[in-house]
Amino acid sequence: MGWFRAGSGVAKLAIRRTLSQGGSNASRTRILPSQNRYFHTTVFRSKAQAAPVPRPVPLSRLTDSFLDGTSSVYLEELQRAWEDDPNSVDESWDNFFRNFVGQAATSPGISGQTIQESMRLLLLVRAYQVNGHMKAKLDPLGLEEREIPEELDPALYGFTEADLDREFFLGVWRMAGFLSENRPVQTLRSILTRLEQAYCGSIGYEYMHISDRNKCNWLRDKIETPTSMQYNRQRREVILDRLIWSTQFENFLATKWTTAKRFGLEGGETLIPGMKEMFDRAADLGVESIVIGMPHRGRLNVLGNVVRKPLRQIFSEFSGGTKPVDEVGLYTGTGDVKYHLGTSYDRPTRGGKRIHLSLVANPSHLEAVDPVVVGKTRAKQYYSNDMDRTKNMGILIHGDGSFAGQGVVYETLHLSALPNYATGGTIHIVVNNQVAFTTDPRAGRSSQYCTDVAKALSAPIFHVNGDDMEAVVHVCELAAEWRQTFHSDVVVDLVCYRRFGHNEIDEPSFTQPKMYKVIRNHPSTLEIYQNKLLESGQVTKEDIDKMLTKVNSILNEEFLASKDYVPKRRDWLSSHWSGFKSPEQLSRIRNTGVKPDILKNVGKAITTFPDNFKPHRAVKKVYDQRAQMIETGEGIDWAVGEALAFATLLVEGNHVRLSGQDVERGTFSHRHAVVHDQETGEKYCPLDHLIMNQNEEMFTVSNR
């Protein structure tokens, strides 16, 4: 139904007009608290002043702006036709009248429900789906002041406290969650309670900007399920153990190297257990390899606890260690500081599988690694024959300032759905410290959220309070499920804080005094989660002490072992590739010539069109001239030489990828690697047809 997806502003004006005509129960006073948790107005009119509870009225008398006189006559005619023969109206209207009219006639509990009320209730539910995130408790510090949208006030729709225990029926054709046809009759109180739990807790969901109804319905089913986040004792112990590792790792580094720069994760420690749970879920859904890109914030923690770089190696780098041992014939580069380094590891998962993790090395330039990670993921998919793009996945971790401010983020996002760049979706995790070095969000972007740039790609965005450990786990798993289901990008906005300065020797109170006054007295996420589990009775104090003792013991053992650790130059590489040649090996002069017979064979293939293909006559002339050059071996120009080079590389089994602006035709109309049929518009690339059953991606030429 078109009216259901109407803009909220139009719906709000319609409701205001209706209520102003018939006497409104909605007060205009906002913000101040009410005695009732659902209503934002401060005062309800007394019974003497209050408008009467809406009664069923004939459709022809409706004067609402969204059901004006003309529309109501139309609806009345539809209703009469439906009463005579339900098959005479469209299926959507059949469902409409069956749910709203038919149910009211047969169910005494909702016999007083009018169509006006039904539509207002639908608009209220939709308001929570669209704007519920504005009421969610996202800031762990409680500093962010956000006005609750007026659309979330039931009084705006004409409902009063007297309506809370009235029963209402909800049902709309082809909708999920609250708007599915099989929802039971519920009281307004239970509807509001569930909406508050689903959309206004520790998670704020943004997905109503997505135009695909199936995707929205999938998310509604996940979000509006009453038991979406219930974990048993065993699962909670695993989550707690992972949080302890994340927290104690940072505490250990802070104790041993008090003045060293490490760009710690304090305040955002839930990232580590969240990532681990995401990877476990992804492995269960078929992912075999993950490429990770991230900035320096939290990199050491990710290296040690997620990708499993040996702790003794990390500690050795802090201590200065010994001079690295040279390895003959191995390309090692010059190395980099410890918080720029990468590594790779085959990690076991909670479900008993193994998943390969590769953390790509990153320079100081924030977000520079984004296209590198996506490109590496695409390459892995090609070489592993992952045509469905479900076995190899990219993960990008961002800062809040850089996600909104760096152009490479937006550029990478916009390449994500192009045929020659798609990787089946990237999961973006924003470690949202709510401050970019010293810059407040209000000075760093114009939008409400740092993640708003992702809306251009219709990516769902899950904002989550970083102090709610289980909420973080839930959205991380949900992101993995989305990626594997819809093969498109998804964003997790981890709203946390930075307990210390940009680096550990920086003083943040110079520029954020109010924030850091709160942070100094704010408990750690580990303390919060420990207390939650202790109150639930699922974990005892002795259990927690055992976990802490075990972790601290291992950290100390690795610290002692680091004193004897001998580093190698290859340690800084993100992956240890066998057969990866050094510059000395690659730069040797060698014979790159090809036998004339081979050149003529491939030359014939790259200058021939299918029988029914009709190229532009000028392009046909160019190709005829190329065929003559190859046949005679005379007058070969740059374009022909390039085409022969590509062709011979391909027949030798090499993957060739050419990308950039206008590379298909060539800026100066010289390449013509892709030719267009002048009658049908179909494309033909001769270099795609050199060998039998050639992989269509073996030669890739793309104008971007």
Side-chain angles (χ1 to χ4, degrees):
M1 299 178 184
W3 55 266
F4 183 73
R5 296 194 64 85
S8 60
V10 175
K12 183 164 68 176
L13 290 174
I15 294 167
R16 280 178 174 165
R17 176 180 168 188
T18 304
L19 297 177
S20 65
Q21 290 174 350
S24 172
N25 296 335
S27 166
R28 292 290 177 262
T29 309
R30 303 282 294 130
I31 302 300
L32 298 178
S34 163
Q35 295 298 318
N36 191 286
R37 57 184 289 198
Y38 307 114
F39 295 88
H40 310 147
T41 49
T42 56
V43 179
F44 279 97
R45 298 179 181 181
S46 66
K47 281 192 173 181
Q49 295 174 306
V53 175
R55 306 281 184 191
V57 296
L59 288 173
S60 58
R61 291 176 55 193
L62 295 176
T63 57
D64 293 3
S65 57
F66 54 84
L67 279 177
D68 58 21
T70 304
S71 299
S72 61
V73 170
Y74 172 65
L75 281 176
E76 189 175 40
E77 292 299 323
L78 278 176
Q79 182 183 359
R80 287 172 181 164
W82 173 79
E83 289 171 347
D84 292 338
D85 180 10
N87 294 323
S88 66
V89 299
D90 184 81
E91 185 181 358
S92 60
W93 285 110
D94 176 34
N95 279 276
F96 178 86
F97 290 120
R98 176 165 51 84
N99 291 335
F100 293 145
V101 180
Q103 284 282 342
T106 59
S107 177
I110 59 171
S111 58
Q113 180 177 349
T114 65
I115 289 183
Q116 300 102 308
E117 287 179 318
S118 299
M119 288 191 163
R120 291 173 192 164
L121 189 54
L122 290 177
L123 290 173
L124 175 59
V125 171
R126 185 180 187 278
Y128 270 91
Q129 294 168 342
V130 174
N131 291 316
H133 59 90
M134 293 294 294
K135 194 179 176 183
K137 306 163 190 68
L138 301 179
D139 182 7
L141 302 178
L143 292 174
E144 186 181 19
E145 296 178 0
R146 299 199 296 176
E147 181 176 345
I148 298 173
E150 194 174 22
E151 291 87 350
L152 300 183
D153 188 348
L156 178 68
Y157 304 87
F159 297 111
T160 70
E161 289 188 358
D163 296 315
L164 286 175
D165 294 314
R166 284 182 59 201
E167 290 186 329
F168 292 89
F169 181 86
L170 280 173
V172 170
W173 180 52
R174 290 183 183 174
M175 289 293 172
F178 278 102
L179 302 183
S180 62
E181 294 174 282
N182 58 356
R183 295 289 297 178
V185 172
Q186 301 176 72
T187 64
L188 180 61
R189 187 187 305 277
S190 64
I191 292 171
L192 291 172
T193 298
R194 185 67 202 114
L195 287 171
E196 289 281 329
Q197 291 172 346
Y199 292 103
C200 304
S202 296
I203 305 172
Y205 297 97
E206 285 192 280
Y207 65 93
M208 291 295 280
H209 56 278
I210 301 173
S211 59
D212 189 316
R213 175 175 287 180
N214 291 330
K215 293 180 178 179
C216 288
N217 279 343
W218 185 89
L219 283 169
R220 273 190 281 264
D221 274 337
K222 299 286 185 179
I223 295 166
E224 296 176 1
T225 301
T227 58
S228 60
M229 287 190 299
Q230 288 189 354
Y231 302 110
N232 58 30
R233 173 177 175 170
Q234 183 181 8
R235 185 75 183 280
R236 283 178 162 170
E237 285 180 346
V238 171
I239 295 171
L240 176 62
D241 180 70
R242 290 172 168 178
L243 182 58
I244 288 173
W245 270 107
S246 174
T247 304
Q248 293 304 100
F249 177 83
E250 297 293 352
N251 292 344
F252 189 82
L253 294 183
T255 302
K256 295 294 183 182
W257 297 278
T258 55
T259 59
K261 288 184 181 180
R262 54 186 173 84
F263 300 96
L265 198 57
E266 290 96 338
E269 296 96 337
T270 50
L271 171 69
I272 302 303
M275 287 182 69
K276 288 184 174 182
E277 296 290 334
M278 176 187 289
F279 295 170
D280 288 346
R281 186 70 183 122
D284 291 341
L285 296 173
V287 174
E288 298 174 358
S289 175
I290 295 178
V291 183
I292 309 167
M294 67 178 299
H296 40 277
R297 173 79 53 211
R299 175 178 282 265
L300 294 175
N301 209 323
V302 171
L303 278 168
N305 284 316
V306 178
V307 194
R308 302 284 184 89
K309 180 176 181 177
L311 294 176
R312 63 187 64 184
Q313 185 178 333
I314 296 174
F315 297 158
S316 174
E317 290 164 0
F318 268 99
S319 301
T322 59
K323 185 178 179 180
V325 175
D326 284 315
E327 296 176 75
V328 179
L330 179 74
Y331 174 50
T332 60
T334 58
D336 204 342
V337 292
K338 51 190 167 290
Y339 41 81
H340 287 174
L341 306 183
T343 193
S344 62
Y345 182 73
D346 287 329
R347 179 179 175 277
T349 69
R350 181 168 40 83
K353 299 186 178 182
R354 298 191 73 84
I355 190 166
H356 180 77
L357 304 179
S358 175
L359 178 61
V360 177
N362 187 72
S364 291
H365 304 285
L366 296 177
E367 307 294 343
V369 77
D370 295 358
V372 177
V373 167
V374 176
K376 184 174 180 178
T377 304
R378 173 90 181 195
K380 283 196 165 198
Q381 290 171 346
Y382 172 80
Y383 285 109
S384 64
N385 200 31
D386 181 13
M387 303 304 294
D388 295 330
R389 312 198 187 283
T390 56
K391 297 178 181 178
N392 298 270
M393 180 170 73
I395 303 283
L396 287 174
I397 302 173
H398 313 266
D400 51 321
S402 61
F403 195 77
Q406 292 288 102
V408 67
V409 174
Y410 196 61
E411 292 165 358
T412 305
L413 285 169
H414 263 288
L415 291 173
S416 64
L418 299 185
N420 290 321
Y421 291 84
T423 61
T426 300
I427 298 179
H428 303 266
I429 305 174
V430 180
V431 181
N432 188 347
N433 299 315
Q434 307 184 73
V435 58
F437 202 157
T438 65
T439 304
D440 288 326
R442 61 179 176 272
R445 62 176 184 268
S446 300
S447 59
Q448 169 72 31
Y449 297 109
C450 63
T451 54
D452 284 345
V453 294
K455 290 183 180 178
L457 274 296
S458 293
I461 302 167
F462 309 141
H463 308 279
V464 60
N465 187 319
D467 268 0
D468 190 332
M469 182 66 259
E470 292 181 8
V472 172
V473 168
H474 177 67
V475 297
C476 285
E477 290 188 304
L478 184 60
E481 292 172 7
W482 169 276
R483 194 273 180 186
Q484 288 299 90
T485 303
F486 297 108
H487 315 296
S488 61
D489 287 28
V490 56
V491 180
V492 174
D493 179 21
L494 180 64
V495 185
C496 51
Y497 57 93
R498 191 186 64 200
R499 187 167 287 278
F500 303 110
H502 177 65
N503 60 61
E504 285 66 31
I505 58 177
D506 190 50
E507 178 48 68
S509 294
F510 289 161
T511 51
Q512 277 79 31
K514 183 179 177 182
M515 172 182 280
Y516 279 87
K517 184 178 180 180
V518 174
I519 289 175
R520 277 191 290 271
N521 299 312
H522 190 73
S524 71
T525 309
L526 178 57
E527 293 176 73
I528 294 170
Y529 194 53
Q530 282 179 171
N531 292 334
K532 175 181 178 178
L533 296 186
L534 288 171
E535 289 173 7
S536 71
Q538 288 186 313
V539 176
T540 65
K541 185 70 167 62
E542 290 73 23
D543 295 331
I544 296 173
D545 290 341
K546 284 181 182 178
M547 292 182 187
L548 288 167
T549 301
K550 179 193 73 173
V551 171
N552 289 329
S553 175
I554 294 173
L555 289 170
N556 279 299
E557 288 172 8
E558 289 293 306
F559 174 70
L560 293 174
S562 71
K563 296 179 179 180
D564 300 321
Y565 182 80
V566 179
K568 298 178 181 179
R569 287 196 181 277
R570 70 186 296 169
D571 287 343
W572 80 276
L573 292 172
S574 60
S575 295
H576 302 161
W577 295 338
S578 59
F580 193 67
K581 295 180 173 60
S582 67
E584 293 81 9
Q585 292 171 304
L586 289 171
S587 61
R588 293 175 187 166
I589 297 174
R590 64 186 68 196
N591 182 10
T592 60
V594 179
K595 293 180 180 180
D597 290 345
I598 296 176
L599 287 175
K600 286 190 175 182
N601 286 336
V602 298
K604 183 177 181 181
I606 63 175
T607 56
T608 303
F609 297 116
D611 292 338
N612 296 325
F613 192 83
K614 295 180 174 57
H616 191 281
R617 64 174 182 271
V619 176
K620 179 69 166 61
K621 183 178 179 181
V622 168
Y623 268 70
D624 289 343
Q625 290 172 345
R626 289 182 181 179
Q628 186 176 0
M629 292 176 193
I630 293 168
E631 181 64 31
T632 63
E634 298 177 355
I636 293 177
D637 58 20
W638 178 268
V640 175
E642 181 191 69
L644 287 171
F646 290 158
T648 51
L649 285 170
L650 290 166
V651 296
E652 290 174 1
N654 297 294
H655 174 39
V656 177
R657 181 179 174 89
L658 187 64
S659 63
Q661 187 175 359
D662 306 320
V663 294
E664 294 180 9
R665 192 199 76 172
T667 303
F668 303 103
S669 195
H670 65 285
R671 180 173 293 120
H672 295 293
V674 176
V675 185
H676 299 255
D677 189 298
Q678 296 299 296
E679 293 185 2
T680 65
E682 291 183 5
K683 298 180 181 180
Y684 181 76
C685 178
L687 286 165
D688 278 337
H689 302 276
L690 291 170
I691 54 181
M692 292 289 292
N693 301 318
Q694 183 175 326
N695 186 328
E696 62 180 15
E697 286 190 33
M698 192 172 186
F699 177 74
T700 302
V701 56
S702 176
N703 276 335
R704 284 298 304 268

